[in-house]
Amino acid sequence: MENKLDYVGQRIPRKDGPVKVTGRAKYTVDVQLPGMLVGRILRSPHPHAKILNIDVSRAERLKGVKAIITSDDTIGVKHAFVDTPRYPADEPPIAKDRVLFVGEAVAAVAATDADVAEEALSLIKVDYEPLPAVFDVEEAMQPGAPEVHTSHPKVKEPLSNIAGKTESGWGDIKTGFAQADYVREDRFESHLRTHGYLEPQATVASYEPGGKLNVLTSSQGPFFKRAKLAQTLGLPFSRVRVHKAYVGGGFGGKIDLFYHEFCAALLSMKTGRPVKIEASREEIFTAYRHGEPLIIEIKTGVKNDGTLVAQQFRVINKSGAYRGTGVVVIFLAWGFIIGAYRVPNFKYEGYAVYTNNPPRTAQRGHGCPQMRFAVESQLDMIAEKLGIDPLEIRLKNARQAGEILPNGDNVYNCGLTECIEKAAEHTEFKKKYGQARSASPSMGSIRRGIGIGVSAYITGSLIYPNSSSTVIKMNDDGTVTLLTGALDIGQGAETILCQIVAEELKLPMEDIEVIAADTETTPVDIGSWISGNAFVTGNAVRVAGTEVREKLLSIAAEELEASLEDLVLKDKCVYVAGSPSHKLTYQQLVSLSIQKRDGDPIIGEGHWRTVRGEPYHPSLATTKGRWSDSYAFGAQVAEVEVDIETGQARLIRAVTAHDCGFPINPTLVEGQMDGQVSMALGHAFMEEVLMKEGRTLNPSWLDYRMPTIHNTAKSEVIDVITERYEIGRPYRTKEVGEGYVSGILAAIANAVYDAVGVRLYTTPFTPEKILQGLGKLK
Amino acid sequence: MKQIIELSVNGESSEFAVEPQETLLEALRDRMGLTGTKEGCGTGECGSCTVLIGGKPILSCLTLAVECHKRDIVTIEGIGDGNDLSPVQQAFVDCGAIQCGFCTSGMVLSSEVLLKENPNPQEKDIYKALEGNLCRCTGYNKIIEAVHKASEQMVTEQE
Amino acid sequence: MRLPKFEHVQPSSREEASRLLQEHGSRARLVSGGTDLYPRMKYGLTRPDVLISLKGLPATPPTVDPNGDLHVDALMTLADLARSQTVLEKTPLLSEAALSVASNQIRHMGTLGGNLCQENRCPYYNQTHTFQFVEPCFKRNGDQCYLIPKGKKCWAVFSSDTAPALISLGASATILAPKERRQLPLENLYTGDPLKPLTISDGEVLTEIIIPCPLSLRGTAFMKFTLRGGMEYAALSVAVVLDMENDGVLCRAARITVGSVGAGPIRAGKGENAMAGQRLSKNLFQEVAQLVVSETHPFPHHGYSAAYLRACLEVETRRAFSLAAEQITRNPGDPG
């Protein structure tokens, strides 16, 4: 069959564009149900305290209050993002006996309107006994620090508050450093940022007669939410239905089970009425989960020619009051080092450490931007010391196609070298690099600099529910309906999945209906949070499409008395090649299939798994086991301008050369790149959640400075195509939504150095730090 | 004390009895079911709740419904003509200027006003017109592209 | 977020507003655009029982009186102000400052009067005080500053962009009281006390700003330093007016006002004196900028340290002088 692609690889406008641009797309908060109550959550004012007593009697008497819940109303089952024998769940869905952070839920109310619900909260009397609290992660690790939780029993060092530890290594680290011509040690630190999704979190829960819990919630995947709700509410999975509303962005911030979701569900179960809980923007800033700042210590040994011979890491995750994804990020931090460069002798230790700050969660790139910032900054320092240019040292150590990583993963069609070369060529990197530092002072106060950073990122991983499965069913009129558990959170999941269906069946996009993200009616999906949608769910769709196509062809071959090889799919018809009038429409074929295939209306089913043949995710503690079957690579170049008088820096231009395999939809790929560049420049220059003693000081868009349109950087994207899409064949395309927030952050840091000679070891790169680096602050 | 007001939204008038503290955003969403107008913060910082009053872009989360009596209000539901998208809407779809969609209503309305007042805006004009509309997904690049494209489209149509 | 309950009154004139304000006393607040007041009401920082809204009242377009002075209605929106041709011709400094405020939508709602009468801000104060913060700070009638615990005072800053510009322009404000109408230099509108930033009292309405537009050679500049450039309060702002002798070389008088780094706008008197009578030069700008910093004492605020603000203020002030010097032009209508 010929492989001319009509849909995959095309710039097809997103399927949900028209409903979004006309305001018709319904998000969770837009949903109104008859008799719906409003829920509100009472939160802890203390970073650490014993709960002595909760008195809800006055609140209960308030007119309009329909239910109040505390931990006594729960079944006492804890939950957590990670829930394994080594890392058992540690979070009560509502605080019991003790609160561990400011904002922890202590009680919740359902009432007839928001005013009553809020008044009711003020009438609940909670007696607390404050306990000593700890906020700084390195203080929390000291023996004798206030104990948030007992240190993990398997960690033998005399350290407090250890939520978990990851250890890994290969080669011989001592020999490695002994072989090195140059060894340097540096410490980098990142800061607290929020995800910045525009749609505040909201949940509508409706417990229906017969015992079915219906949940609409702003999430990044309904199956994970169903599992956590069923577990904490004591319901069978089949009695919990979580389904789709449009989602206004996630970036990692909507994965976990949140208080408002649990409380809306339990309040609905108690009252028998629908309950809606919306988080205010301020609550999201003060009590919800932000990203995970890391402290990263690196010791690196190199040969004089720049060859890496040994690298040692000590990473500390500044976790909050519960483990959350803390033990995931210290695993991922390891994972985001191994992909890009070859290092023969390697040692890694990562610690997740409890504090009395609000719990943290995954955030786009999940550790990757922090790690790439550290690794790539140090690499530039090494290169400068050795007198080699930043490109050469990267090219020397870059992984090549077909290399096997220390964990057994194959990088297959790795385009890293080509990415570095193309990004450098496109930006005239060699010509520009180092120019600003030799510039004369007469050029005014602006210095321009250029820098590069690379990244390698997984494409999906083996985390519950571990599989994406899809169904494609043909309709009587020859159109199709795609059933997928995938949730479009803005990245365009539904659009690219439809492009694959369209390609496999040569069917116009508008003839594909999508039913998505419903735990009841759609098959399971890995979710929009592990960078595996295009690869894992995409392949599942492709398989289902293949089955449908084969069924169509089989009937057609029979009816047209032609051999399968001679048949062509086009315009919702199957033709005999070279004889366009000799054809059957899809509509006819569906009808024929029903007649001649025992009623089969033509349904295809497909499933896929991130790493086929591997039963489990690798160990978070030891990193042993295979992890991913497809790695994305990229090189990114940043050009910045720094004002040496005010210290203010800005990103002027970002060039991303990415090996994403092949872009299923180039427009959507560019959209992901642009968004990541913007997020990285926010990370680099302006965004920071300011906290003091566990409390947030800037809980608003005004004082948390996310980029506005004024900060837009020119973003250019170069495709490095390393894979082909062929109809009917598995493909290994790669992620595009997370890795590219990383190389560009590193590139910005290196560009600032190139511009003004100030090496920054901590994010954000504020004007103050830059002026300090320039020796201009008194 | 409730007041009776007449709201003229997208060319259709209706009467409501509203409390003084009710915002236009609440009236549109909760009373009229016009949920295309979004609340991203409620404090005037994100622009998701942008609507037009008398052709000017304003924040409905900081506008009292009682003060909109007999004012001419346009929401995202009033842009475009039935099944036909306006040039701005069409350009947003075509350029990939939409991702999660939560900022889109406000972005479109701010862009509509800009192009009405300034059919051929420069980059800096677009920045000033859209500086009150936060978007986290797109980095604004494709939104800027869409405004330019809509501008070209509208200029061509007029010629 | 929702607004608390209140009674809403729409007077038909400024005079009636003034009378109503006096009648209701401290229970009432005056509001026009609401972009400063409503968020604070949503956060529960102020809970007026009565809102006296000027929103329905038409604003008189800017006029120039026989003396050549510019009169601007306090009810004019910042957007209308920024695009007024009259204002642009007479005082481009004001147009620029108005255009730098917040966002396009907010400029279409917020008025000049509201911008001048906004509340002081700090990260502790400007949020809900339900669970995060419980102990009241100075600004909420407590006896501590949470941000600077050793401080014996409130550190909330006043962040209007138009105020420094107008003060440097020598503007005066017309205040309407139930029984009188009075004028005061705009700088006297500010107390310098973050707990009560304005000198006007119950029953008083700011109705008009009058900006003298002398027939002289003049250069002006407004600098607003922010991290992201839109929808943001200034880290610091500085507004400079240089009035020149007819030779265009000697500075006759300078007015320099710094915003966002103190409890109110700060006139840099020493800097102004040092500039007067001098021949403009890069060295002079540098010296005076240092003087301005030394007399300003910036408050640390919103994540900016005092040390940084001092360094940045020096640069921005010097740049403002240079810009103003480049823009020295004859006032329209001046025969020269």
Side-chain angles (χ1 to χ4, degrees):
Chain A
M1 187 175 289
E2 62 168 335
N3 194 51
K4 184 179 159 290
L5 299 180
D6 298 311
Y7 300 97
V8 164
Q10 306 302 311
R11 291 181 178 272
I12 292 175
R14 56 184 304 136
K15 221 169 154 53
D16 56 9
V19 288
K20 283 179 172 172
V21 85
T22 52
R24 287 179 218 186
K26 289 266 182 205
Y27 297 72
T28 301
V29 72
D30 300 334
V31 172
Q32 290 294 346
L33 295 177
M36 191 159 74
L37 301 171
V38 175
R40 285 288 188 272
I41 292 166
L42 183 69
R43 298 179 182 278
S44 163
H46 298 286
H48 196 184
K50 251 190 219 162
I51 300 175
L52 302 176
N53 186 47
I54 304 177
D55 179 2
V56 299
S57 56
R58 282 182 69 206
E60 270 174 342
R61 287 197 295 271
L62 187 68
K63 190 165 174 270
V65 170
K66 298 297 173 188
I68 300 176
I69 53 171
T70 66
S71 76
D72 289 346
D73 299 281
T74 72
I75 58 167
V77 172
K78 292 180 177 175
H79 70 95
F81 182 82
V82 178
D83 191 353
T84 61
R86 187 185 186 95
Y87 297 129
D90 62 354
E91 295 176 39
I94 300 180
K96 186 179 170 63
D97 306 332
R98 207 161 63 113
V99 286
L100 302 181
F101 69 95
V102 172
E104 183 162 4
V106 176
V109 174
T112 45
D113 68 38
D115 287 328
V116 176
E118 277 165 28
E119 194 184 342
L121 292 187
S122 70
L123 296 175
I124 298 174
K125 191 168 172 293
V126 186
D127 298 326
Y128 294 101
E129 180 189 321
L131 296 170
V134 63
F135 307 102
D136 178 87
V137 75
E138 284 168 309
E139 277 173 31
M141 291 173 86
Q142 295 306 311
E147 195 170 69
V148 187
H149 298 279
T150 44
S151 238
H152 197 280
K154 293 212 169 153
V155 177
K156 297 303 176 198
E157 296 139 282
L159 298 171
S160 299
N161 289 308
I162 304 299
K165 183 176 178 184
T166 300
E167 284 181 280
S168 183
W170 54 83
D172 180 9
I173 195 74
K174 273 192 187 152
T175 315
F177 282 122
Q179 288 167 352
D181 295 322
Y182 174 58
V183 176
R184 71 172 293 145
E185 292 180 63
D186 295 289
R187 177 186 157 111
F188 298 88
E189 195 167 340
S190 48
H191 69 287
L192 190 64
R193 295 174 302 125
T194 197
H195 303 80
Y197 44 80
L198 258 286
E199 179 214 15
Q201 295 210 32
T203 296
V204 173
S206 177
Y207 190 68
E208 284 161 15
K212 177 63 130 305
L213 179 69
N214 259 300
V215 180
L216 278 166
T217 194
S218 174
S219 87
Q220 292 183 236
F223 292 91
F224 185 86
K225 296 280 190 187
R226 176 179 70 169
K228 298 293 169 189
L229 280 171
Q231 179 192 351
T232 49
L233 294 165
L235 295 171
F237 275 35
S238 58
R239 307 312 284 165
V240 180
R241 177 183 187 181
V242 181
H243 48 115
K244 173 192 153 144
Y246 281 91
V247 179
F251 313 110
K254 294 177 177 175
I255 303 169
D256 296 87
L257 178 67
F258 286 89
Y259 294 125
H260 70 274
E261 296 173 310
F262 174 82
C263 292
L266 186 55
L267 286 165
S268 180
M269 288 171 72
K270 280 203 93 172
T271 57
R273 289 169 67 170
V275 174
K276 184 195 274 186
I277 306 186
E278 301 169 37
S280 71
R281 179 58 59 188
E282 192 184 32
E283 267 180 307
I284 290 168
F285 271 109
T286 54
Y288 280 62
R289 298 176 179 205
H290 306 310
E292 292 170 302
L294 303 178
I295 294 171
I296 301 161
E297 291 168 0
I298 323 181
K299 182 178 174 187
T300 301
V302 288
K303 287 292 197 188
N304 275 330
D305 68 355
T307 307
L308 293 166
V309 287
Q311 209 163 30
Q312 184 171 349
F313 286 84
R314 186 168 182 269
V315 172
I316 301 168
N317 172 36
K318 304 175 185 177
S319 302
Y322 293 103
R323 193 178 278 125
T325 50
V327 290
V328 179
V329 75
I330 54 171
F331 165 86
L332 294 173
W334 160 84
F336 295 137
I337 312 162
I338 64 167
Y341 303 127
R342 242 167 286 118
V343 187
N345 303 289
F346 186 91
K347 185 169 157 44
Y348 175 91
E349 285 178 305
Y351 298 86
V353 182
Y354 291 120
T355 63
N356 291 107
N357 289 307
R360 311 292 187 213
T361 195
Q363 183 173 31
R364 196 178 211 171
H366 208 175
C368 194
Q370 298 94 310
M371 295 308 292
R372 294 325 303 175
F373 159 56
V375 170
E376 301 289 313
S377 293
Q378 198 196 42
L379 203 59
D380 262 29
M381 289 187 262
I382 291 169
E384 188 178 27
K385 173 78 185 177
L386 298 179
I388 36 188
D389 84 54
L391 302 177
E392 197 185 323
I393 198 166
R394 286 176 172 79
L395 289 169
K396 187 169 281 298
N397 294 290
R399 296 222 182 255
Q400 302 299 322
E403 262 186 55
I404 306 293
L405 300 181
N407 66 341
D409 281 349
N410 188 329
V411 300
Y412 295 108
N413 44 5
C414 165
L416 180 54
T417 294
E418 200 182 338
C419 287
I420 297 171
E421 286 168 347
K422 285 203 163 153
E425 189 186 52
H426 186 76
T427 53
E428 298 183 283
F429 188 93
K430 280 200 172 181
K431 196 172 129 194
K432 290 177 184 167
Y433 184 73
Q435 290 307 301
R437 275 166 286 163
S438 55
S440 72
S442 64
M443 63 187 283
S445 67
I446 301 296
R447 296 287 178 280
R448 202 153 174 164
I450 191 166
I452 187 167
V454 315
S455 65
Y457 208 89
I458 54 159
T459 303
S461 171
L462 295 169
I463 291 184
Y464 179 83
N466 283 317
S467 165
S468 285
S469 176
T470 66
V471 171
I472 298 173
K473 51 178 196 166
M474 295 230 54
N475 301 314
D476 284 349
D477 59 0
T479 65
V480 309
T481 302
L482 167 68
L483 278 69
T484 170
L487 179 61
D488 199 323
I489 60 171
Q491 83 280 44
E494 290 185 17
T495 303
I496 64 145
L497 297 177
C498 284
Q499 284 178 261
I500 292 168
V501 176
E503 194 61 70
E504 292 291 327
L505 301 177
K506 296 293 181 193
L507 187 76
M509 291 286 284
E510 52 272 22
D511 282 332
I512 306 164
E513 248 338 292
V514 187
I515 295 176
D518 180 346
T519 58
E520 191 106 327
T521 61
T522 66
V524 78
D525 187 84
I526 57 167
S528 291
W529 47 276
I530 195 75
S531 267
N533 184 265
F535 171 51
V536 184
T537 312
N539 265 307
V541 168
R542 183 191 53 73
V543 172
T546 298
E547 190 180 343
V548 169
R549 189 183 60 249
E550 284 172 355
K551 285 181 175 179
L552 289 169
L553 288 171
S554 138
I555 300 270
E558 215 169 285
E559 291 297 315
L560 298 170
E561 297 176 338
S563 70
L564 283 174
E565 305 81 70
D566 293 337
L567 295 178
V568 180
L569 276 63
K570 203 182 170 204
D571 299 333
K572 284 200 279 179
C573 292
V574 178
Y575 294 83
V576 178
S579 171
S581 61
H582 208 48
K583 66 173 181 185
L584 285 166
T585 65
Y586 286 3
Q587 184 174 2
Q588 290 168 316
L589 288 167
V590 170
S591 160
L592 285 165
S593 174
I594 289 169
Q595 288 165 21
K596 303 200 169 175
R597 295 281 191 271
D598 299 328
D600 180 2
I602 306 189
I603 295 178
E605 186 259 325
H607 48 82
W608 207 259
R609 183 171 159 82
T610 312
V611 189
R612 290 183 298 161
E614 287 292 317
Y616 305 115
H617 189 275
S619 159
L620 292 177
T622 67
T623 75
K624 289 206 170 60
R626 283 197 54 208
W627 183 30
S628 191
D629 211 23
S630 179
Y631 283 79
F633 296 89
Q636 292 172 289
V637 171
E639 293 190 54
V640 302
E641 279 183 2
V642 185
D643 184 327
I644 55 170
E645 292 185 337
T646 63
Q648 191 159 40
R650 61 193 195 106
L651 181 65
I652 303 301
R653 180 189 188 200
V655 173
T656 301
H658 68 99
D659 161 19
C660 80
F662 64 90
I664 294 178
N665 187 325
T667 305
L668 294 180
V669 168
E670 287 163 7
Q672 288 296 304
M673 299 305 172
D674 296 348
Q676 287 173 99
V677 165
S678 174
M679 204 174 268
L681 77 88
H683 186 165
F685 297 128
M686 52 196 81
E687 293 178 31
E688 181 166 17
V689 177
L690 299 170
M691 294 197 78
K692 191 173 176 186
E693 291 161 358
R695 297 169 170 96
T696 307
L697 291 173
N698 53 342
S700 67
W701 290 137
L702 202 50
D703 295 328
Y704 180 87
R705 302 175 188 101
M706 207 157 88
T708 67
I709 198 165
H710 288 283
N711 311 109
T712 310
K714 190 174 178 212
S715 166
E716 294 159 65
V717 178
I718 302 166
D719 298 330
V720 171
I721 309 288
T722 57
E723 172 69 309
R724 262 157 60 89
Y725 186 98
E726 287 180 41
I727 291 168
R729 261 198 42 200
Y731 62 79
R732 194 176 275 111
T733 192
K734 305 170 177 193
E735 81 91 24
V736 290
E738 297 198 74
Y740 303 98
V741 76
S742 313
I744 190 64
L745 177 68
I748 292 170
N750 287 334
V752 168
Y753 178 79
D754 184 51
V756 294
V758 175
R759 179 57 65 185
L760 295 158
Y761 295 86
T762 63
T763 55
F765 315 140
T766 59
E768 178 150 2
K769 285 182 198 165
I770 291 174
L771 269 201
Q772 215 149 30
L774 288 165
K776 289 187 177 175
L777 265 199
K778 284 161 212 150
Chain B
M1 198 184 66
K2 285 195 173 174
Q3 295 179 34
I4 307 283
I5 57 162
E6 182 186 324
L7 288 183
S8 160
V9 181
N10 304 329
E12 290 173 25
S13 289
S14 28
E15 282 192 355
F16 300 97
V18 298
E19 295 277 359
Q21 73 273 15
E22 192 167 325
T23 62
L24 176 60
L25 175 68
E26 289 161 343
L28 291 170
R29 288 178 54 86
D30 302 341
R31 291 181 184 275
M32 310 184 74
L34 295 171
T35 55
T37 308
K38 304 298 184 197
E39 177 171 351
C41 65
T43 46
E45 298 159 9
C46 73
S48 308
C49 70
T50 302
V51 302
L52 311 185
I53 297 187
K56 306 288 184 205
I58 60 96
L59 300 165
S60 60
C61 76
L62 297 182
T63 299
L64 302 183
V66 290
E67 293 180 349
C68 298
H69 180 53
K70 295 200 167 176
R71 302 294 309 275
D72 224 354
I73 299 161
V74 176
T75 69
I76 189 67
E77 290 88 351
I79 301 296
D81 182 11
N83 295 323
D84 294 332
L85 300 181
S86 76
V88 171
Q89 288 172 319
Q90 191 63 52
F92 268 63
V93 173
D94 293 344
C95 294
I98 307 157
Q99 286 188 34
C100 87
F102 205 77
C103 76
T104 305
S105 303
M107 284 286 181
V108 167
L109 286 161
S110 286
S111 306
E112 293 279 356
V113 178
L114 167 69
L115 293 178
K116 191 154 193 193
E117 293 178 352
N118 181 357
N120 196 11
Q122 304 299 300
E123 208 93 332
K124 66 176 176 20
D125 305 320
I126 300 175
Y127 283 11
K128 285 307 280 182
L130 300 186
E131 67 186 348
N133 293 85
L134 287 181
C135 169
R136 186 59 150 179
C137 299
T138 66
Y140 307 99
N141 304 70
K142 290 191 183 298
I143 290 173
I144 296 166
E145 195 185 318
V147 175
H148 282 306
K149 184 171 177 180
S151 154
E152 286 161 23
Q153 175 72 25
M154 288 158 79
V155 170
T156 316
E157 271 175 18
Q158 276 173 4
E159 278 165 4
Chain C
M1 294 196 98
R2 285 160 316 105
L3 284 167
K5 288 188 164 62
F6 53 83
E7 190 188 329
H8 181 258
V9 190
Q10 279 183 296
S12 56
S13 68
R14 290 155 179 78
E15 288 72 16
E16 191 190 347
S18 165
R19 193 175 49 69
L20 284 165
L21 268 174
Q22 200 183 44
E23 188 181 310
H24 292 286
S26 60
R27 293 175 60 242
R29 289 296 307 262
L30 196 66
V31 64
S32 46
T35 55
D36 183 53
L37 180 65
Y38 295 151
R40 283 186 293 111
M41 287 174 69
K42 287 185 174 188
Y43 288 135
L45 303 178
T46 178
R47 241 176 201 279
D49 296 318
V50 183
L51 282 190
I52 295 159
S53 174
L54 302 174
K55 198 153 192 169
L57 300 182
T60 314
T63 53
V64 180
D65 70 18
N67 298 328
D69 296 345
L70 180 68
H71 293 238
V72 181
D73 191 330
L75 275 180
M76 197 163 183
T77 64
L78 294 162
D80 286 342
L81 189 60
R83 75 174 82 189
S84 156
Q85 206 51 42
T86 313
V87 175
L88 188 65
E89 277 163 20
K90 298 294 282 185
T91 60
L93 185 68
L94 177 58
S95 312
E96 198 184 336
L99 191 62
S100 80
V101 175
S103 68
N104 191 33
Q105 294 94 321
I106 286 187
R107 291 191 295 272
H108 275 101
M109 303 166 72
T111 60
L112 177 62
N115 191 261
L116 293 170
C117 296
Q118 65 182 262
E119 254 294 356
N120 287 32
R121 303 182 74 252
C122 102
Y124 173 84
Y125 173 67
N126 286 89
Q127 53 174 293
T128 315
H129 293 258
T130 46
F131 67 90
Q132 269 228 107
F133 294 105
V134 183
E135 295 298 314
C137 67
F138 289 114
K139 199 153 173 62
R140 290 193 299 132
N141 305 318
D143 57 3
Q144 59 159 338
C145 172
Y146 186 84
L147 288 177
I148 303 174
K150 285 180 201 142
K152 294 279 175 268
K153 61 166 187 171
C154 173
W155 293 82
V157 292
F158 179 76
S159 303
S160 165
D161 295 319
T162 57
L166 285 168
I167 291 172
S168 282
L169 287 165
S172 59
T174 304
I175 307 289
L176 179 70
K179 286 182 183 151
E180 57 160 1
R181 185 184 290 270
R182 64 189 172 98
Q183 296 270 331
L184 77 168
L186 184 63
E187 58 199 287
N188 294 351
L189 185 65
Y190 302 105
T191 61
D193 174 5
L195 305 183
K196 188 187 178 301
L198 303 177
T199 55
I200 51 175
S201 51
D202 294 343
E204 294 191 319
V205 181
L206 169 66
T207 56
E208 190 182 55
I209 298 295
I210 303 167
I211 306 154
C213 300
L215 300 179
S216 68
L217 279 175
R218 172 174 271 195
T220 63
F222 176 73
M223 308 296 282
K224 175 176 177 176
F225 187 83
T226 61
L227 269 194
R228 67 178 178 187
M231 198 50 222
E232 192 178 3
Y233 283 105
L236 62 89
S237 63
V238 55
V240 168
V241 173
L242 301 180
D243 281 324
M244 304 300 293
E245 297 293 357
N246 259 337
D247 58 8
V249 177
L250 285 181
C251 176
R252 182 161 51 74
R255 288 176 70 100
I256 306 161
T257 312
V258 179
S260 284
V261 294
I266 303 168
R267 269 286 291 281
K270 285 183 189 163
E272 292 175 357
N273 289 338
M275 189 76 92
Q278 301 294 312
R279 176 181 294 267
L280 302 187
S281 73
K282 275 192 173 170
N283 284 344
L284 177 70
F285 294 163
Q286 182 60 35
E287 281 165 32
V288 176
Q290 283 168 347
L291 207 54
V292 168
V293 174
S294 72
E295 65 181 311
T296 304
H297 308 295
F299 283 13
H301 71 96
H302 297 93
Y304 304 101
S305 74
Y308 178 72
L309 291 171
R310 281 197 296 272
C312 188
L313 178 59
E314 185 182 316
V315 174
E316 294 293 305
T317 306
R318 177 166 50 70
R319 289 180 179 176
F321 292 150
S322 297
L323 267 179
E326 280 167 26
Q327 289 173 8
I328 290 169
T329 49
R330 219 159 274 277
N331 200 309
D334 181 359

